[in-house]
Amino acid sequence: MREGTVSRTLLEWYDTHARDLPWRIGPADRHASQPDPYRVWLSEVMLQQTTVAAVKDYFHRFTTRWPTVSALANADDADVMAEWAGLGYYARARNLLKCARLIAFEYDSVFPQTASELIKLPGIGPYTAAAIASIAFDETATVMDGNVERVMSRLHDEHAPLPNSKPVLFSYAEQHTPTTRPGDYAQAVMDLGATICTPKSPTCAICPLKSVCRAFSAGTETELPKKTPKKPKPTRHGIAYIAIRSDGAVLLETRPNKGLLGGMLGWPTTEWGDAITPAPPIEADWITLNTTVRHTFTHFHLELQVATSNVELETVPSIGRFMTSDVWSPSDLPTVMRKAFDLVQKNRAG
């Protein structure tokens, strides 16, 4: 395929079919208004391994509460972690704060404009650096996420399986990245993957690239991209302890910054492993519910038993603290902890 054909065709398509997203400056408005790097950065961090549909409400709440990188840098950690609750991959939120503070206090709230500088910041990897540099600053940086990998594998009928094929797919993506409007092109190719060149049942009939797509010509588009089979995830087990004081306060702890759910509010639990070793946070009459919380993390499945106890007002815990409903909300909890709370509420209502 001729050099430039793909980018020109995609940009023409994007000018008409660009998705309307809250963090995006559309192609019709780009001549009058430049993208805000803070909003581009925030959206890209939130979108890591998370869908656009899931991110929209979080993005709106964050930018309403903290409209600038300086505002976010000065936020309390607990407030940011609470707003992030439910979005998952909580290391992103911790790195978000680190990065915001570095930009605010060491870069005078001015974002670096190149991918080579952006990648030095906490929580910013090659994809995110390229996305911010191209979208916010129009650097000719090659952006490659899952959508772009899929488009490139089909466009070039590449049958080598992921993840080993990532370098060759990146070379294809680099080949097609234009020097003019690279930011719009990056968003165009991602939009194509998200709306037309989808993982299942791609709508090739309306694809602007079908005339140059080698997989479409060969009839192999639904086979691609090929992937090396993943190893099955192990299952770990544990107990979540939910103690309810006579005044309605519940026992919660802030988890250590390092590790899963780091810095998040949650119930005291045992270690998560192959076997369960009970470790109640206080001496009490614990009742184990006959249902189990199931949750999947990146590398393992988790099955949590839920133990509850009603305790007296003077009870002193060995870890965590009792919190009343005026200082915490179930929405502050990460999803797995909220599932446990919902089980208890359902059991008490029943």
Side-chain angles (χ1 to χ4, degrees):
M1 58 193 75
R2 293 194 305 275
E3 186 175 351
T5 299
V6 169
S7 60
R8 285 195 300 272
T9 302
L10 268 184
L11 284 168
E12 289 174 3
W13 172 82
Y14 179 73
D15 286 343
T16 303
H17 297 92
R19 288 182 293 175
D20 183 14
L21 301 175
W23 46 83
R24 177 180 287 179
I25 299 296
D29 299 321
R30 186 131 184 177
H31 67 284
S33 179
Q34 292 302 306
D36 179 353
Y38 170 67
R39 294 171 70 86
V40 174
W41 163 71
L42 181 60
S43 68
E44 290 297 339
V45 173
M46 288 184 166
L47 286 164
Q48 292 169 8
Q49 303 182 72
T50 310
T51 66
V52 167
V55 163
K56 284 183 177 180
D57 287 345
Y58 283 90
F59 180 84
H60 176 71
R61 291 201 301 271
F62 262 76
T63 51
T64 298
R65 190 168 182 179
W66 303 295
T68 65
V69 71
S70 296
L72 182 59
N74 287 286
D76 289 337
D77 289 42
D79 290 341
V80 173
M81 299 306 289
E83 285 290 1
W84 193 275
L87 196 55
Y89 301 99
Y90 296 100
R92 292 181 299 169
R94 298 194 296 274
N95 282 326
L96 194 78
L97 274 170
K98 290 179 185 177
C99 189
R101 288 164 182 165
L102 189 65
I103 292 170
F105 305 138
E106 297 191 25
Y107 289 78
D108 295 326
S109 298
V110 178
F111 276 80
Q113 298 188 14
T114 64
S116 61
E117 289 297 316
L118 286 161
I119 203 171
K120 299 175 184 178
L121 301 176
I124 296 184
Y127 161 74
T128 306
I132 298 168
S134 63
I135 296 169
F137 302 112
D138 256 341
E139 181 186 27
T140 306
T142 301
V143 173
M144 194 175 79
D145 68 350
N147 284 316
V148 180
E149 287 176 351
R150 187 166 57 256
V151 170
M152 292 300 130
S153 69
R154 290 171 175 169
L155 189 61
H156 291 269
D157 199 28
E158 178 58 61
H159 286 249
L162 288 164
N164 290 341
S165 63
K166 283 180 179 287
V168 70
L169 295 178
F170 184 87
S171 70
Y172 295 146
E174 188 175 38
Q175 167 189 329
H176 296 300
T177 301
T179 55
T180 57
R181 299 180 64 191
D184 281 348
Y185 171 78
Q187 293 172 108
V189 70
M190 288 189 285
D191 276 12
L192 186 77
T195 62
I196 291 178
C197 195
T198 52
K200 297 179 180 178
S201 304
T203 48
C204 300
I206 60 171
C207 179
L209 298 181
K210 67 178 181 180
S211 64
V212 293
C213 179
R214 291 172 181 168
F216 177 70
S217 179
T220 58
E221 66 275 8
T222 57
E223 302 173 21
L224 302 174
K226 292 184 175 178
K227 297 180 181 180
T228 302
K230 293 182 179 179
K231 294 180 180 179
K233 294 180 180 181
T235 299
R236 298 180 186 174
H237 305 269
I239 303 173
Y241 294 97
I242 302 181
I244 304 171
R245 207 167 60 183
S246 55
D247 62 350
V250 294
L251 179 60
L252 289 158
E253 65 171 346
T254 300
R255 295 177 65 86
N257 283 330
K258 291 186 178 180
L260 280 173
L261 311 182
M264 299 297 295
L265 202 62
W267 313 114
T269 73
T270 62
E271 295 292 329
W272 301 344
D274 295 332
I276 298 175
T277 301
I282 52 178
E283 290 189 12
D285 294 326
W286 293 97
I287 298 173
T288 302
L289 304 186
N290 61 3
T291 52
T292 301
V293 170
R294 292 178 173 84
H295 190 76
T296 296
F297 292 96
T298 304
H299 300 298
F300 66 93
H301 303 293
L302 176 65
E303 292 187 356
L304 275 183
Q305 297 176 13
V306 180
T308 66
S309 181
N310 296 314
V311 299
E312 298 301 323
L313 193 63
E314 62 272 13
T315 302
V316 178
S318 58
I319 59 173
R321 68 188 192 277
F322 282 97
M323 301 175 66
T324 53
S325 59
D326 60 327
V327 294
W328 84 284
S329 166
S331 64
D332 297 340
L333 299 173
T335 302
V336 65
M337 298 296 179
R338 196 160 62 245
K339 288 179 180 179
F341 181 72
D342 290 345
L343 275 184
V344 172
Q345 293 294 90
K346 183 178 180 181
N347 185 73
R348 287 164 66 88

